[in-house]
Amino acid sequence: MKPLDQKSIIPLYHQLKQRLDARIRGGEWKPGDKIDSENRLMELFQVSRNTAKKAIEELVQEGTLYRVQGKGTFVSKPKFEQSLGGFYSFSRVLQEQGLHPKDHVLEVKEVEPSATVRQGLQLPEGEMVVEIKRLRCAEEEPIILESSFMPKSVIQDMSVLHEVGTFSLYDLLAERYNVIVVRAKEAFEPVLIREEESILLETEVGKPALLLERTAYDTNNRPVEFCISIVRGDRCRFYTELH
């Protein structure tokens, strides 16, 4: 084991963090594997407990590692990555990673829109919307809790929406209602998982998540969907490329 460079301007904890990260990226430690304890890292790299602890803590904060009380520190599953440069397609992201996307439709119902939904869809007072609430999974692991709202004037037959999961929502809108989505506006903000969300997403209350709000427009520049998604922060990451 090559020792850390004691004379480097790079702090020892950061050097150790890089070594641990390299072992994970190189496949020596795989998702779910338990990594060396702080005591073992102190022995291997001749560093203090504070150095070993700080290196591990930074990797935990970044989501590369996670702790289990009384058992140790383990390698996290890799996050699903999605560029902000185009439509966010959860299904496409999974398929590109060789995984099977699966949607569970929780409910389809006609509701009176909230002020936020009404504004997003530019609806007059009194117009109702159709809500489809679904749990979006990678294989059987829940990742996103999503509620899509569409004007009732667009959705003539709500039963069709139960086919979402077999077909994409936008494909159904195009094929059944001749509503073609051509662009969308999205906004993101950090939130914490609430109790109901934690049950459905199978994660802990208070865990970090992303609140994603999307307004989708058709060929007539009419808003046809307002979507609110809670995305697990420990399983997804969004990025952009700057030129």
Side-chain angles (χ1 to χ4, degrees):
M1 185 71 66
K2 184 180 177 181
L4 303 181
D5 186 354
Q6 301 285 340
K7 297 180 180 180
S8 173
I9 61 172
I10 300 174
L12 290 176
Y13 81 86
H14 192 74
Q15 292 183 50
L16 178 55
K17 174 187 170 184
Q18 290 176 321
R19 295 286 187 87
L20 299 179
D21 193 48
R23 293 175 73 175
I24 294 168
R25 293 182 183 276
E28 183 177 345
W29 286 330
K30 295 179 174 55
D33 285 352
K34 183 179 178 180
I35 72 163
D36 292 335
S37 66
E38 289 180 9
N39 287 339
R40 179 59 176 160
L41 293 176
M42 290 166 59
E43 178 185 338
L44 286 173
F45 294 98
Q46 296 298 297
V47 295
S48 68
R49 183 174 299 279
N50 283 341
T51 296
K53 185 175 182 179
K54 187 167 184 180
I56 291 173
E57 281 181 347
E58 288 214 349
L59 288 170
V60 169
Q61 289 173 359
E62 292 172 5
T64 304
L65 299 174
Y66 67 94
R67 287 194 172 99
V68 177
Q69 188 69 32
K71 293 186 177 180
T73 306
F74 299 82
V75 178
S76 301
K77 293 179 182 178
K79 293 185 178 183
F80 304 114
E81 294 190 339
Q82 169 65 31
S83 170
L84 296 177
F87 270 120
Y88 173 61
S89 173
F90 178 67
S91 297
R92 187 179 68 245
V93 169
L94 295 187
Q95 289 166 352
E96 288 173 352
Q97 297 189 25
L99 297 172
H100 177 62
K102 189 170 185 180
D103 287 358
H104 296 283
V105 176
L106 303 177
E107 58 183 348
V108 176
K109 60 184 179 180
E110 182 178 332
V111 298
E112 184 175 347
S114 66
T116 300
V117 173
R118 186 179 301 281
Q119 182 179 5
L121 291 174
Q122 299 175 17
L123 297 176
E125 287 290 335
E127 184 164 348
M128 302 292 281
V129 297
V130 174
E131 176 187 3
I132 174 172
K133 186 175 183 179
R134 52 184 167 155
L135 190 62
R136 314 202 66 183
C137 303
E139 305 294 348
E140 292 297 333
E141 181 185 15
I143 306 295
I144 301 174
L145 180 60
E146 186 169 281
S147 292
S148 290
F149 301 89
M150 291 155 287
K152 184 66 173 66
S153 58
V154 170
I155 307 298
Q156 305 301 322
D157 178 9
M158 292 194 301
S159 66
V160 170
L161 296 179
H162 287 282
E163 297 179 33
V164 171
T166 305
F167 305 97
S168 78
L169 176 59
Y170 291 167
D171 285 347
L172 281 175
L173 289 177
E175 293 175 10
R176 302 299 179 90
Y177 304 116
N178 198 32
V179 173
I180 301 172
V181 174
V182 294
R183 71 180 183 92
K185 179 174 64 177
E186 296 182 329
F188 301 79
E189 64 179 278
V191 294
L192 298 178
I193 296 287
R194 297 176 296 185
E195 185 172 359
E196 179 189 358
E197 298 159 352
S198 73
I199 295 170
L200 292 170
L201 290 170
E202 298 179 9
T203 188
E204 298 175 21
V205 173
K207 283 282 190 177
L210 279 174
L211 169 64
L212 185 157
E213 290 186 352
R214 179 179 66 244
T215 307
Y217 299 83
D218 68 2
T219 50
N220 296 315
N221 204 35
R222 173 184 58 163
V224 292
E225 180 211 22
F226 186 81
C227 180
I228 301 173
S229 300
I230 300 295
V231 185
R232 282 178 53 178
D234 62 330
R235 299 297 286 119
C236 296
R237 180 167 66 178
F238 295 86
Y239 69 90
T240 186
E241 295 184 16
L242 304 176
H243 300 280

